[in-house]
């Protein structure tokens, strides 16, 4: 299974079996650097050239013999299991770490590596890597979802780029014809791709800063009702040949607007030139705000490593000091935003047109799921959202049930603190 960096914004459901390799038995040729041998794990990226790039970075490090292991299959579960043993990685890439891994003492505190540079990391990317005032992983790159819209099609229909959820519903309906739908949110109607984004657009959140349910509010039901209206109006493209993460439905004019990812921007630009724009999900209601999800894989150190100091030194060299490698990793293999604000600001590929708009939207309107938003809470919400959109279930009653489940889950994880 080949995984793109877009997976970091998904539901985290890719799980499988452990095939651990010890930190002293790296399968790939090492850097040959002086010092201990370090095993560095990455999940298997879909973008060509990424594997060769990370091996090149490791080979340039001279203070340890870094052995990159490219981990196909169900990486999240492989890593979670390996962290409980002495045969796992020294440093590893992680879509987290999870709250359980932090509370269980499975990862090393990396806060001291950020001395003097913490303010240069995008705060949205850093927040879910931070717990109890400490930073547990270094964000590598940012990915985000965006609302793509075709400028000419909207102009022909006399529709402006939507600035509210009501305008989005109206625009999708006006743009729907016999040959084209107004909006594509995924073949499931948007439950999987949008996730919590509608609630953030309504001015709410998954979990509040003080650790309580962030969407126990009438505004939550109202915004989910907007999604149901899109489905009921038959404005949504369903059953597309490729799902929402692929921009082909948009570039082939099966839809005038599509929720997709930043990774699709070069392909869209190649097909459509300047005839498109990007937006966050529009605000809903008087207290709403534009919203889009931001995710960042991070680099962490296993607490089981026998070379924790050397592992931290390597990560500082690569993901704190190595700005040239960071920019290369973000923009040479796929299309992503560097986690460092200074790099994102000066990167040539991100300074013009929709790419610059995407960086601005991610910086101004991006949110990240907090550590307290656990897989159990996410699953309860996703299931309810699907029932609301596709089956017309009552948003109020569905959300009441989700609030109860999330409240119980929050009590469980806070009890472990």
């Amino acid at each position: 299974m080949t995984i793109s960096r877009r997976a970091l914004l998904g539901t985290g459901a890719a799980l499988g079996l452990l095939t651990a390799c010890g930190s002293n038995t790296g399968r790939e040729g090492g850097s040959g650097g002086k010092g201990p041998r370090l095993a560095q794990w990455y999940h298997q990226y879909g973008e060509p050239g990424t594997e060769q790039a990370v091996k090149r970075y490791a080979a340039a490090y001279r203070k340890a013999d870094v052995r990159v292991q490219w981990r196909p299959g169900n990486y999240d579960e492989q890593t979670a299991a390996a962290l409980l043993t002495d045969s796992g990685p020294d440093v590893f890439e992680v879509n987290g770490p999870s709250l359980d891994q932090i509370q269980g003492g499975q990862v090393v505190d990396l806060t001291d590596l950020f001395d003097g540079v913490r303010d240069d990391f995008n705060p949205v990317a850093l927040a879910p890597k931070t717990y109890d005032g400490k930073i547990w992983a270094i964000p590598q790159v940012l990915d985000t979802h965006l609302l793509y819209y075709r400028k000419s099609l909207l102009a022909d229909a006399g529709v402006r780029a939507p600035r509210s959820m009501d305008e989005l519903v109206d625009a999708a309906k006006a743009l729907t014809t016999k040959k084209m739908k107004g909006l594509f949110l995924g073949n499931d109607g948007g439950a999987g791709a949008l996730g919590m984004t509608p609630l953030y657009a309504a001015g709410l959140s998954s979990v509040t800063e003080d650790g309580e349910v962030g969407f126990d509010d009438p505004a939550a039901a109202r915004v989910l009702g907007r999604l149901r209206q899109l489905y009921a109006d038959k404005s949504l493209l369903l059953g597309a040949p490729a799902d929402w993460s692929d921009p082909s439905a948009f570039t082939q004019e099966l839809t005038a607007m599509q929720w997709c990812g930043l990774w699709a921007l070069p392909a869209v630009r190649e097909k459509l030139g300047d005839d498109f724009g990007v937006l966050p999900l529009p605000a809903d209601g008087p207290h709403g705000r534009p919203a889009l999800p931001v995710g960042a894989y991070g680099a962490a150190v296993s607490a089981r490593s026998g070379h924790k100091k050397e592992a931290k030194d390597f990560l500082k060299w690569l993901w704190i000091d190595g700005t040239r490698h960071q920019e290369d990793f973000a923009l040479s293999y796929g299309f992503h935003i560097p986690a460092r604000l200074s790099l994102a600001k000066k990167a040539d590929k991100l300074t013009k047109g929709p790419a610059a708009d995407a960086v601005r939207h991610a910086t101004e309107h991006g949110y990240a799921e907090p550590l307290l938003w656990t897989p159990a809470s996410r699953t309860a919400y996703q299931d309810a959202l699907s029932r609301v959109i596709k089956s017309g279930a009552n948003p109020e009653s569905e959300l009441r049930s989700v609030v109860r489940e999330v409240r119980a889950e929050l009590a469980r994880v806070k009890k472990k603190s």
Side-chain angles (χ1 to χ4, degrees), residues 56-383:
R56 188 170 65 250
Y57 307 154
Y61 189 64
R62 309 314 303 166
K63 294 183 179 180
D65 183 15
V66 182
R67 306 242 171 166
V68 170
Q69 294 185 21
W70 204 243
R71 309 292 296 187
N74 296 313
Y75 178 83
D76 289 344
E77 189 171 274
Q78 291 181 33
T79 307
L83 292 179
L84 300 175
T85 75
D86 293 327
S87 59
D90 297 288
V91 296
F92 63 100
E93 185 178 58
V94 61
N95 184 11
S98 71
L99 188 58
D100 287 341
Q101 288 166 344
I102 295 170
Q103 291 177 332
Q106 298 170 27
V107 289
V108 173
D109 176 12
L110 303 181
T111 310
D112 61 306
L113 301 185
F114 289 81
D115 288 348
V117 298
R118 183 168 182 166
D119 290 345
D120 193 39
F121 278 83
N122 189 304
V124 177
L126 202 56
K129 313 297 183 192
T130 306
Y131 179 72
D132 198 24
K134 300 174 183 178
I135 304 173
W136 302 93
I138 306 173
Q140 297 173 172
V141 296
L142 276 65
D143 270 314
T144 187
H145 296 173
L146 297 157
L147 180 65
Y148 288 77
Y149 64 94
R150 185 77 176 270
K151 293 179 179 179
S152 60
L153 296 178
L154 269 66
D156 290 346
V159 173
R160 74 174 184 177
R163 302 177 186 177
S164 70
M165 286 295 290
D166 282 340
E167 287 191 8
L168 179 64
V169 172
D170 292 342
K173 190 172 183 178
L175 291 162
T176 296
T177 68
K178 291 182 179 179
K179 296 182 178 180
M180 179 180 67
K181 291 292 186 179
L183 179 62
F184 184 40
L185 300 175
N187 286 326
D188 63 356
L194 289 178
M196 295 297 297
T197 309
L199 299 187
Y200 280 84
L204 306 173
S205 64
S206 52
V207 180
T208 65
E209 291 184 1
D210 57 355
E212 302 298 329
V213 177
F215 53 93
D216 188 8
D217 188 289
R222 287 197 299 269
V223 73
L224 297 197
R226 305 281 193 274
L227 301 181
R228 171 59 188 173
Q229 187 63 48
L230 285 164
Y231 188 89
D233 286 346
K234 298 184 179 180
S235 301
L236 296 181
L237 174 64
L238 301 170
D243 211 348
W244 68 274
S245 61
D246 188 306
S248 57
F250 182 65
T251 58
Q252 294 172 12
E253 294 192 7
L254 300 179
T255 182
M257 300 183 289
Q258 178 174 336
W259 188 252
C260 195
L262 177 65
W263 56 81
L265 198 148
V268 173
R269 185 170 50 208
E270 182 178 353
K271 287 282 188 179
L272 303 180
D274 295 328
D275 188 21
F276 76 99
V278 295
L279 290 170
L281 193 70
D284 185 66
H287 304 294
R289 62 196 177 214
L292 68 172
V294 171
Y297 268 115
V301 174
S302 170
R304 293 273 192 152
S305 170
H307 306 290
K308 289 188 278 290
K309 181 185 182 302
E310 293 85 354
K312 289 178 63 175
D313 289 345
F314 169 63
L315 290 190
K316 183 177 186 298
W317 173 85
L318 179 56
W319 296 116
I320 299 289
D321 301 332
T323 53
R324 179 172 56 86
H325 295 322
Q326 292 162 33
E327 185 173 350
D328 179 66
F329 189 66
L331 293 166
S332 298
Y333 321 97
F335 200 74
H336 314 275
I337 302 173
R340 302 284 290 274
L341 296 172
S342 58
L343 292 180
K345 186 176 182 179
K346 72 177 185 180
D348 290 342
K349 293 181 180 180
L350 300 174
T351 57
K352 299 177 182 177
D357 292 337
V359 173
R360 177 171 55 84
H361 293 320
T363 302
E364 297 178 2
H365 306 302
Y367 76 90
E369 291 184 354
L371 281 166
L372 289 173
W373 186 245
T374 64
S377 295
R378 185 182 302 115
T379 298
Y381 169 76
Q382 294 285 159
D383 290 347

